[in-house]
Every structure is written in structure tokens, then in C-alpha cells.
Amino acid sequence: MSDIIRLLPESLANQIAAGEVVPAPAYLVKELVENSIDAGATQIQIEVIGAGRQAITVTDDGKGMSPTDARMAFERHATSKLQTIEDLQRLSTMGFRGEALAAIAAVCQVELRTRTAEHDVGTELIIEGTKVRSQRPVACSQGTSLKAMNIFYNTPGRRKHLEARKETTELMEIWREFAKVALANPQIAFTLRGAGKYDKILPASSLKERIIDIGGAKLSRALIPVSYESNFCTIRGFIGTPTTSLKQGAQQYLFVNDRFIRHPYFHKAITLAYENFIPAGNQPQYFLYFTIPAENIDVNIHPQKTDVRFLDESTIFPILQSLIRDAFGAHALTPIIDFENASPIEIPAYPGRKDVLPDLDQALSAEAFQQSKGEEEGSTLPSGGGRLGGFRLSTARASIAAKEPEISWDDLGEHFDSMTPTATPQPLFDLPTEEPQGRGIRLSQAASLRTRPTLPTSIMLYQSRYVITTLGDALAFIDLTRAVLRVTYEQYRADLSAHSYRLEQPLFPEVLEFSPQELPTALLMMEELQHAGFDFGDLGDGHFSIVEAPSFISQDATGFVRLIVADSLDTHREGAEYVQSFLAEAAAESTALQRPLPLDSEGLEQLIRDLFQSSDPYFTPSGKAIITRLTEPMVANFFN
């Protein structure tokens, strides 16, 4: 038998590596920007042409390369970041494998310009398919500019599937990689051009300013700082208030030593800390940065370097939980009760609650009188029994016997809200200089938000978009667009549970392509989606087609599958409940925008009736408010 094992040609080995390092244009951006960071750049510019398919250029003001280094950089496993095996145990750079530039050159046409501070003239290098076409001196500024053109030009199969993907998908993935690197390095100025709505100019800034620049202005008043420091670990960053949690699309970032990572174990610790503060199914927002000695972590697991092993992760887990809960307490997002303190709580005297309780016989006769009066006027008493002076009758009986009246805290809070003091009282506690916005709700309002509203007797339409009515003793505003979204969502959830919908073939079928990192999650999601009526065809090599899908999502079935896979990767959620909820919400958001809002009284009453019968009439599936209530004290404040 002849020998059959032989070395692969260098060009073929580089193309195999490219499949791991550069599966899409977004990862090309990631690798080039990380090289710029390792080069000590303070300004990095990214220019995208044709959603990254035509060209991606990354320019920095780093230390640059000599002519010899520029040539060597494109050799496989050539790197300046590792010298010995011991260096692998204390990595401080973003890259270290020496594979990225070789892999990029294997599937792109590359044009490199670079110059160091010691040289007056730089170097220009032209490479195609790992072969150097030319190298010559050129005038350029200090730093490096690398332009990667025509990605996968020499691999027709991969190029075909790349072109089958939507440009919006490529740009979104480029933005995600850009955001991760920019959040990890707020001290560096970044510019992203040619990405449409994702174009961004980020000056060097503080961490909070960078988070707001990336995450949006809505986060400016909804971020809680956290900080922890010990010998083996430092944690800093910001977490979102419970009211900023979302059903989907929550911004969740973990970094270790300024490197973005995915860590389901730490994500679980964070979600457990939020468990009693956000609705079931919602996801918190967080931006947390770990600083850990390099020898205590291992980033050499996968070429993408987002999977990291921690030596002390079981110790960090409870620290994360405690850190977040302490932050809630420090910002008055939850009352703190010491159950281990057996001493009685002293409550200051309250002059407005000095009613003298009648004796038991008087209480009973008064109750009977109020009940008979209510019957004569056609009114009915609450099912729980009558109330006397803010107390239930059964409570009054026990209170009279014990000679110690029991206070109704709900009534007390409402009474405080409605008081109009004649003199300015001295505060019992020091008030903060700036009141936190959107960081919780009053305890006196919590009960009303948990109870299901009763159908209002009168409604008024405002600006063809809002309904004004009363709920209990409060004035209420109902957003009709969001109400339609909630009702539509409930209808789809019911249809999915009963499997009462038609199946259709997509009108314009597309090829679904998943990278090696996405494939395990994609297979899991497709398995769950098959229970909802989806049928997939396996084309091999991580490519799939959609043979059939529910009729209400069939027009954009491919986009939906890509979206749910990306969301599952970001949020680490899975399971039948998650898939049904995500599918119903996606379909509802698409359908609700096409449904006209009711403008006649009959249509409005039906919509509100359906809304109040839903599982949560106060919020949309993504957590946006549908109903806003104004209590009498809030209205009174308008008139000072």
C-alpha cells in the first residue's frame, strides 16, 4: 500500500483557516480592527463598500510595520505577540494566533499601506490569493491602512451564498462587531462609514458616554453603575434599571480584559439577580467589564476568541448576583427589609389618622347601616366585605379586641399623596440631589399595575391615536397602536397553541447560511420551529432552505429564522415557550402595522375589551407601556 498522507498546500490550508477566521465580512472587520488596537492606535476608521462584499478598509494611526514585517505578517502563524509557550498563559493582546491576515489574504484581494515612525517612506503591498503581486515604497502617514476587496472572489460557492444574503443582514452583523470593539475601547476614537444607518463617529470618551453612543440616548438615565474589586477579580460597568428590560433586543455585553466574550454561566447569574424585579420572559440590559489576571483565564479555545474559560467562575457567580442586588438597594429600586432584626419598627406619628375606632357594637351597626343604604341606592359592596374607616370589618374586630388598630398601608400611602399641607414639613430622610427617572414604581402604585383593569364606562378619542378614559380613581391614556399590537400578539399565541393556521411555501425562497458558530443554535431553533409548522431542507455545509412555514410569517420566513437565531445567540434563550413567544411577537409587529386603528365607538370598545382580556394589558410583548395612568395627586400637581 502506497503512502497516502501528505501536507496540504499552503494556499489550501489558508482557505480552510479562512472558514474559521473570516466566515463573513463582519468578522473581517473584527480581525482588522483588533490588529489596529494591538498596534496601539488611538484613531481607527472603517469604510464599508457594498455591505463589505466589495471592499472593507481599516485605517489606523498605530505604530505601523517595516517592509519586512509587512511581508511576514501575511505568512501563516507569523505573529509578534507570542515568543514562547509561557506567553500563551499571560496574553494581553487581542490577537495571537497569526492566522487572521493569512486567512484574509487567502479569500480577498488585499492592498496594504503601512509606515513606522522611524521610516520616512512607507510600504505598499498587493496580495491576491496569498500570492504577493507587488511590493514597493510609497508615501503614507504613520500607521496602517488595509483594504480587503472582493471577499471570496476565488471561492465561487461561498461567494454565491454570500450574495444570496441581504445587504441589511451583512450591515447589521458589521455593526454588531463594531459595537463590541468600540464598547471595549472607549479610549479610542472610531469612525464607521458606508454602513448606511449604522454610520457612526465616536470620539474618545468615558465608558458611560461610549455606552450611550452605542446603546442610544434612552440609556442615559437608565444606567446604574456597579463596581467590585478584589485580589483575583475586578468588575465594573453599568446595568440597566428593571424598567428597561425587554422581551427581545436587550443589549447584553460581557468583557474580560477588554475582550468581548460570551459566557452563559455569568449571564445566568445576572438574570437570577433580576428575577424578582422584571416580568417573566424579559431580559435585562448590562455592560459589564471584568479585569482578571491573564493566567487565570484561557482564551485559546476558538479562533473567534469569544469563548473564555475562567479559573474562578464558581466564585464570581455569587459575586455578580450580590453586586447587582446591592446596586438595586443603593438606588432605591426595591425596599430593604431586615427579617433577622427582631426589634420593633418605630413609625412616626401621623396626625391625619387619629380617628377613634368605635366599639364593636357600634362598628357592627354602622356596617349594617352602610350595607342597607348601599342596597337602597342600587350599589353593591365589594365581595370581600364592607370597609369601615379604611379597615376590613374582620380586621376591625381583631383590632378592637387587641386595642391596637392595624394600619392599611395602601390607604395610608394614598392619603399622603392627596394631602395638601399648610406648612412645609421637615423631610424624614435626606433627599437625593437628582431624582432617578424610570428606576422603579411607587409601592402604592404596584397593586394597581398587578390587577386587571375593569372595562371603562366612557372613552374619548384623541388625535386618532389615543383613548382617554378613567380606570378606578385615575385618569388613563391608552395607546391604540400598542393596544392593537398586544391584541394581535395574543391572537397569534392562541393560534400557535391550537395549531389553527395554514402552512404555505415562501413566495421568494432564499438560502439560509449559518457560520460554524451559529450552526448549533440554528439547528436547535429549527428543531423547535418544526413543531410550529416550519419545514426545512438541508442543503449541506451549513446551508438550508425553507420548504414550508406558517402563512402569517411565510413572506419573510427566511428573515425571521435568521432573526431568531441571532436573538438566541445574544440572549441565550431557547425552548418551545421562547420560540412561540418570539414567533407570535414577530408576526404581530408585522401585522399590527397594517391594521387600521378603530375610530368609531364600537370598534374602540371592542379593542379595549380585547385588550383588558389579554394576559398583560399594560405592556406590549417587548415591554413598552400601553396604558399610562395619572392619579388625582399627579393631576393636582399640574395646577400647583
Side-chain angles (χ1 to χ4, degrees), residues 12 25 30 38 48 62 109 122 152 298 300 312 327 413 463:
L12 180 57
K30 170 184 178 293
D38 288 338
V48 177
Q109 297 169 325
F152 302 139
D298 181 10
N300 187 27
D312 300 305
Q463 294 290 334

Side-chain angles (χ1 to χ4, degrees), residues 332-345:
L333 294 180
T334 177
I336 299 176
I337 303 175
D338 187 0
F339 290 99
E340 297 180 358
N341 185 3
S343 59
I345 301 174

Side-chain angles (χ1 to χ4, degrees), residues 165-368:
R165 289 159 57 95
K166 293 182 179 179
E167 285 196 0
T168 53
T169 302
E170 299 294 351
L171 292 175
M172 180 180 66
E173 291 184 356
I174 289 173
W175 165 254
R176 285 178 176 172
E177 295 301 327
F178 172 81
K180 294 169 187 175
V181 179
L183 284 170
N185 300 274
Q187 77 283 359
I188 299 177
F190 289 90
T191 302
L192 176 63
R193 293 193 178 95
K197 66 178 182 180
Y198 299 111
D199 281 3
K200 207 77 171 177
I201 298 177
L202 302 175
S205 62
S206 66
L207 177 58
K208 185 175 182 180
E209 289 172 336
R210 179 58 57 86
I211 290 174
I212 294 171
D213 285 339
I214 294 293
K218 291 182 179 180
L219 291 175
S220 60
R221 301 179 69 90
L223 293 176
I224 306 173
V226 294
S227 179
Y228 169 84
E229 187 171 353
S230 67
N231 294 331
F232 72 93
C233 174
T234 297
I235 306 174
R236 63 187 177 92
F238 295 86
I239 59 174
T241 58
T243 55
T244 63
S245 66
L246 300 173
K247 287 283 187 183
Q248 65 181 39
Q251 302 185 73
Q252 300 173 334
Y253 293 91
L254 292 176
F255 300 89
V256 59
N257 297 349
D258 298 331
R259 182 194 306 276
F260 172 80
I261 64 169
R262 300 184 188 277
H263 205 288
Y265 188 58
F266 289 168
H267 173 78
K268 182 67 173 179
I270 296 168
T271 54
L272 286 176
Y274 274 88
E275 189 173 27
N276 296 324
F277 301 94
I278 62 178
N282 275 26
Q283 289 290 316
Q285 308 203 69
Y286 55 79
F287 305 80
L288 295 177
Y289 297 73
F290 298 83
T291 302
I292 295 176
E295 60 270 17
N296 291 344
I297 60 174
D298 181 10
V299 300
N300 187 27
I301 299 175
H302 191 274
Q304 296 298 336
K305 300 182 284 291
T306 56
D307 298 325
V308 177
R309 291 194 182 100
F310 288 73
L311 183 64
D312 300 305
E313 64 180 19
S314 60
T315 305
I316 298 174
F317 188 94
I319 290 174
L320 264 179
Q321 286 185 287
S322 177
L323 181 64
I324 293 172
R325 288 171 178 166
D326 288 347
F328 289 165
H331 287 75
L333 294 180
T334 177
I336 299 176
I337 303 175
D338 187 0
F339 290 99
E340 297 180 358
N341 185 3
S343 59
I345 301 174
E346 294 185 3
I347 300 175
Y350 174 50
R353 180 67 69 166
K354 292 185 178 181
D355 309 71
V356 179
L357 287 175
D359 56 61
L360 185 59
D361 292 336
Q362 291 176 340
L364 291 172
S365 61
E367 174 69 11

Side-chain angles (χ1 to χ4, degrees), residues 26 68 93 177 221 394 520 564 575 599:
T68 303
T93 56
E177 295 301 327
R221 301 179 69 90
S394 58
I564 194 172
L599 300 178

Side-chain angles (χ1 to χ4, degrees), residues 371-427:
Q371 184 173 1
S372 63
K373 182 178 179 181
E375 291 174 352
E376 292 175 358
E377 295 177 355
S379 61
T380 58
L381 291 174
S383 60
R387 297 179 69 88
L388 181 63
F391 296 83
R392 289 191 181 276
L393 187 59
S394 58
T395 306
R397 183 186 299 272
S399 302
I400 295 169
K403 301 298 183 182
E404 292 182 6
E406 178 178 308
I407 297 175
S408 172
W409 297 106
D410 290 339
D411 291 349
L412 182 61
E414 293 172 2
H415 194 81
F416 268 122
D417 286 338
S418 61
M419 286 181 62
T420 307
T422 56
T424 304
Q426 294 297 321

Side-chain angles (χ1 to χ4, degrees), residues 65-134:
M65 292 181 284
S66 67
T68 303
D69 285 345
R71 183 73 171 262
M72 283 293 296
F74 290 91
E75 297 295 330
R76 197 172 178 208
H77 301 310
T79 179
S80 63
K81 300 159 189 176
L82 288 178
Q83 301 296 330
T84 65
I85 189 64
E86 288 76 16
D87 294 337
L88 194 59
Q89 308 303 321
R90 49 177 182 270
L91 289 170
S92 60
T93 56
M94 300 300 293
F96 55 88
R97 294 174 178 268
E99 290 181 321
L101 290 182
I104 292 170
V107 293
C108 298
Q109 297 169 325
V110 175
E111 180 182 300
L112 172 74
R113 291 189 175 192
T114 183
R115 181 175 73 83
T116 63
E118 294 79 16
H119 293 80
D120 295 329
V121 178
T123 298
E124 181 186 74
L125 203 61
I126 306 296
I127 300 178
E128 291 185 9
T130 69
K131 295 182 180 180
V132 177
R133 298 301 183 188
S134 67

